[in-house]
Amino acid sequence: MARHLITSAIPYINGIKHLGNLVGSQLPADLFARYQRARGNEVMFICATDEHGTPAELAAAKAGKPVAEYCAEMHEVQAKIAEGFRLSFDHFGRSSSPQNHRLTQHFAVKLAEAGLIREVSETQMYSKADGRFLPDRYIEGTCPNCGFESARGDQCDNCTKQLDPVDLINPHSTISGSTDLEMRGTKHLFLRQSAMKDRLDAWIDSKSDWPVLTTSIAKKWLHDGDGLQDRGITRDLSWGVPAQFEGAPWSGMEGKVFYVWFDAPIEYIAATEEWTEKTGGDWERWWRTDKGADDVTYTQFMGKDNVPFHTLSFPATILGSGEPWKLVDYIKSFNYLNYDGGQFSTSRGRGVFMDQALELLPADYWRWWLLSHAPESADAEFTWENFQVSANKDLADVLGNFVSRITKFTRSKFGEAIPEGGSWGAQEAALIEDLTTRIRAYETHMEEKDIRKAAMELRGIWVAGNEYLQASAPWSVFKTDPDQAAAIARLALNLIPIYAVLSAPFIPDAAKIMLEAMGDEDRGWPGDVKTALEALPAGHAFTTPEVLFRKITDDEREEWQERFAGTRD
RNA sequence: GGCUAGGUAGCUCAGCUGGUUAGAGCACACGACUCAUAAUCGUGGGGUCGGGGGUUCAAGUCCCCCCCUCGCCA
């Protein structure tokens, strides 16, 4: 039995994510996790909320709550929505957990011991009124270049000129509005990624099977300009993992915490440790190659914006520690999903957000559309027309109607049990051959994380059932040879649990309904197709399910199109 | 401006290391069927493979130049 460690990029805590975020990491990771479990493999599927940093502090302040309380609440909200989408995490952790605090500090110590941490003194804008150092983008002022009054400290949105906060005329804090700002000296820890460059380069080079999107981004950061740069791993904040702690090999870091990008990926490991606390399981056999993780296959899923951290920074942390931690084996990355001619926008509320989506339609509809249109080779686009057509055609007409037509036909001619009589001939043999080829192809696509292709093949498998029914026409055979019609119906009914098991990674709820209707909840993966088609014997009772997928009407589509074009709230 | 990825039928996309008449789904037209969620199945029309050069017996597939889209970086 193979062992699969699967992680999804962890969503940031400040608010509910949109469909683009979902399809970029959590959903494909869930697809893969469900598939591997269905194949009988051992799976550890981990996700978490990314809770530290300035945006979380500001969102909490805006909500009028202590940041810890705010994060705890938002974590619950996100966990609930994840459940709504049937994301089957073994554990959905929190980067603010004590486990992550310990582990983050542990890695920092190990990296320092390996000579991979250096201290850097720099000056940054400090706001007395806010009592904090301000990240560049939280400082606004008049652009010295074009006179635009709301230029940010890092860049002017009007003339696009790159800026330094000290360049701004009349700079003020966007948090408090205060103009009482000054440059202050501060000290930070930097991870010496540059020292790891060759090692990382060779490692990336060895991954010839990774998506080009993943390796090209990594290569760019490794070789662009002066090559891989050292990066600060601390910030002047209070909400986070303290950078000064007992046993720290440095001093003077009071009041500073580790920067989110450093502690967030470590949370993958810490979350598994959190899982141990919950279940009593052994987390080290998933993460320590000296403690049983050497046979683990580790796959990460993420949007392209996260690739640099997962291909370079996190591996630098893992490798640099000098300890036998499990390194990722495959990084599946995704492009962006756009919304109806533009981008999804969290700030402007443009597009569909996860909570809203579930209010409109069951999770399966979204899962199917998003996965079958996953932005693998290029950015993809969500349009309501496309969504309506795909869902109605694929789910309602092809799959749903197949289940409906054969169960209703059998019920009316033979009653609600698998009918007896007749025998298989050439048509059935041809179907078995076709399905065998298709199912093996589907397995290959799933193993390779080729999501669109897997979806297409699955759809083809559904179509094969309709083709068979159309060609064998049990409704006319019944008139002259009821026994033969029974044989056809018996086979077609036996397709339902097979379809359910194959489809479950994409549409788990519908799959469950199909299995329940056929009284076959524990059905396993179809190895030999002929055997699988004989699993439900004559006389086995079934029930005729309600409509599996209702159709999306034109009126609904138009209404939604209108509703989600504008601003949220 | 530098870099990545793209630009293939009306739409969404497949096309591996160059090699028979460029494929699929949707849409469209016609036909079959009437068990089924007015669903299904079949057939067909439709493409100068962004543009221009070049290499080759042979290029959507390799090389060069240009145009356009998206993203990243500066």
Side-chain angles (χ1 to χ4, degrees):
Chain A
M1 180 163 68
R3 302 176 61 216
H4 285 272
L5 174 62
I6 300 164
T7 60
S8 157
I10 67 179
Y12 199 69
I13 192 72
N14 70 339
I16 293 162
K17 304 297 127 182
H18 55 62
L19 296 181
N21 299 126
L22 178 64
V23 74
S25 53
Q26 292 178 321
L27 196 50
D30 182 68
L31 180 81
F32 190 59
R34 285 177 177 274
Y35 171 75
Q36 289 300 344
R37 290 194 198 103
R39 298 310 308 276
N41 293 322
E42 194 182 352
V43 168
M44 177 60 69
F45 179 25
I46 292 291
C47 192
T49 38
D50 178 9
E51 305 191 357
H52 296 137
T54 309
E57 289 188 323
L58 296 181
K62 196 177 167 193
K65 288 175 183 165
V67 64
E69 189 182 320
Y70 171 81
C71 287
E73 284 175 17
M74 285 308 297
H75 175 81
E76 283 314 307
V77 169
Q78 294 211 18
K80 201 148 239 116
I81 294 173
E83 213 177 292
F85 274 98
R86 306 293 181 257
L87 301 174
S88 60
F89 308 131
D90 287 290
H91 184 64
F92 186 55
R94 302 183 56 188
S95 71
S96 60
S97 70
Q99 287 86 348
N100 196 37
H101 277 236
R102 276 200 303 272
L103 214 46
T104 298
Q105 291 173 344
H106 169 84
F107 272 108
V109 169
K110 289 293 161 191
L111 289 165
E113 286 171 6
L116 292 168
I117 300 276
R118 66 184 170 92
E119 296 181 23
V120 173
S121 292
E122 51 187 24
T123 55
Q124 274 184 12
M125 200 66 91
Y126 184 84
S127 166
K128 289 181 193 163
D130 295 299
R132 66 196 299 164
F133 283 91
L134 296 174
D136 292 353
R137 63 191 159 134
Y138 289 111
I139 304 161
E140 281 189 2
T142 303
C143 175
N145 188 49
C146 71
F148 181 60
E149 288 180 6
S150 300
R152 295 187 316 191
D154 53 349
Q155 181 177 33
C156 174
D157 284 337
N158 188 51
C159 67
T160 74
K161 185 176 170 60
Q162 293 291 305
L163 300 171
D164 203 281
V166 293
D167 298 336
L168 293 171
I169 301 161
N170 300 323
H172 62 270
S173 159
T174 61
I175 299 170
S176 63
S178 170
T179 55
D180 191 8
L181 309 178
E182 66 178 29
M183 293 304 282
R184 277 195 189 177
T186 183
K187 192 172 71 171
H188 283 295
L189 300 177
F190 272 61
L191 176 60
R192 295 183 56 216
Q193 298 186 140
S194 59
M196 303 283 293
K197 178 177 173 289
D198 292 342
R199 215 168 148 191
L200 292 169
D201 205 5
W203 177 63
I204 296 292
D205 271 335
S206 72
K207 304 299 182 184
S208 54
D209 61 328
W210 286 11
V212 280
L213 183 64
T214 304
T215 50
S216 65
I217 291 173
K219 284 288 181 186
K220 161 117 201 310
W221 283 64
L222 278 165
H223 301 300
D224 202 43
D226 297 328
L228 188 60
Q229 299 297 300
D230 295 346
R231 292 192 68 151
I233 58 168
T234 51
R235 281 293 181 275
D236 291 287
L237 293 176
S238 53
W239 177 236
V241 178
Q244 192 63 60
F245 50 92
E246 205 181 317
W250 47 71
S251 59
M253 299 302 292
E254 288 81 9
K256 299 176 199 296
V257 297
F258 288 103
Y259 195 15
V260 275
W261 73 256
F262 184 69
D263 78 65
I266 294 172
E267 168 64 9
Y268 293 143
I269 307 173
T272 316
E273 204 180 332
E274 293 168 37
W275 166 86
T276 286
E277 190 174 77
K278 188 174 74 177
T279 62
D282 178 3
W283 67 275
E284 288 187 310
R285 65 188 279 273
W286 290 100
W287 283 103
R288 293 285 297 219
T289 55
D290 59 334
K291 294 178 181 171
D294 47 326
D295 66 339
V296 168
T297 301
Y298 178 20
T299 310
Q300 293 176 341
F301 292 82
M302 71 200 66
K304 59 184 168 187
D305 50 328
N306 262 316
V307 169
F309 300 113
H310 290 79
T311 51
L312 305 168
S313 304
F314 188 42
T317 302
I318 294 277
L319 291 168
S321 74
E323 297 180 321
W325 296 100
K326 176 67 193 172
L327 200 56
V328 67
D329 294 300
Y330 190 91
I331 297 181
K332 176 77 179 179
S333 55
F334 293 87
N335 287 285
Y336 293 140
L337 179 68
N338 290 317
Y339 178 80
D340 212 5
Q343 295 185 345
F344 274 89
S345 170
T346 304
S347 55
R348 278 174 298 154
R350 188 166 188 283
V352 187
F353 290 73
M354 287 172 72
D355 55 338
Q356 301 170 321
L358 289 177
E359 286 164 17
L360 303 184
L361 290 166
D364 282 354
Y365 285 76
W366 302 105
R367 291 179 62 106
W368 174 254
W369 189 88
L370 290 168
L371 289 168
S372 62
H373 294 78
E376 291 179 299
S377 61
D379 288 356
E381 174 157 318
F382 176 91
T383 64
W384 287 102
E385 289 86 351
N386 192 308
F387 176 66
Q388 180 195 23
V389 166
S390 290
N392 287 355
K393 196 77 196 167
D394 299 345
L395 298 179
D397 294 349
V398 177
L399 176 62
N401 183 53
F402 171 79
V403 173
S404 191
R405 67 195 294 205
I406 187 56
T407 49
K408 286 179 182 172
F409 170 78
T410 308
R411 182 175 62 181
S412 72
K413 305 298 183 199
F414 304 99
E416 285 186 304
I418 308 284
E420 181 166 14
S423 59
W424 292 355
Q427 272 182 332
E428 287 70 25
L431 175 66
I432 288 166
E433 195 184 327
D434 183 35
L435 283 177
T436 301
T437 305
R438 287 182 174 281
I439 292 171
R440 298 293 94 86
Y442 177 64
E443 290 165 358
T444 302
H445 291 141
M446 288 295 257
E447 292 291 345
E448 292 176 354
K449 280 87 58 182
D450 239 330
I451 296 172
R452 281 183 182 230
K453 286 182 182 171
M456 270 181 63
E457 197 59 58
L458 179 60
R459 187 187 188 282
I461 289 169
W462 297 339
V463 168
N466 282 311
E467 284 172 359
Y468 171 71
L469 277 188
Q470 210 62 35
S472 58
W475 46 88
S476 39
V477 171
F478 183 79
K479 292 170 191 162
T480 55
D481 187 352
D483 270 4
Q484 192 49 36
I488 294 166
R490 193 163 63 244
L491 183 149
L493 288 167
N494 263 288
L495 279 172
I496 295 175
I498 296 175
Y499 284 180
V501 169
L502 294 174
S503 309
F506 283 90
I507 45 173
D509 287 347
K512 188 156 176 280
I513 292 169
M514 288 162 71
L515 288 177
E516 282 169 359
M518 298 312 293
D520 193 12
E521 282 91 334
D522 299 322
R523 176 59 78 93
W525 193 262
D528 179 65
V529 175
K530 185 165 181 294
T531 306
L533 282 170
E534 292 167 330
L536 298 181
H540 179 95
F542 69 88
T543 57
T544 302
E546 295 303 307
V547 166
L548 273 184
F549 296 99
R550 72 168 185 85
K551 295 207 192 188
I552 299 166
T553 65
D554 290 349
D555 285 347
E556 284 176 313
R557 188 202 67 212
E558 283 164 22
E559 187 207 322
W560 296 340
Q561 205 155 14
E562 183 79 18
R563 180 160 20 139
F564 295 100
T567 304
R568 181 179 161 109
D569 296 328

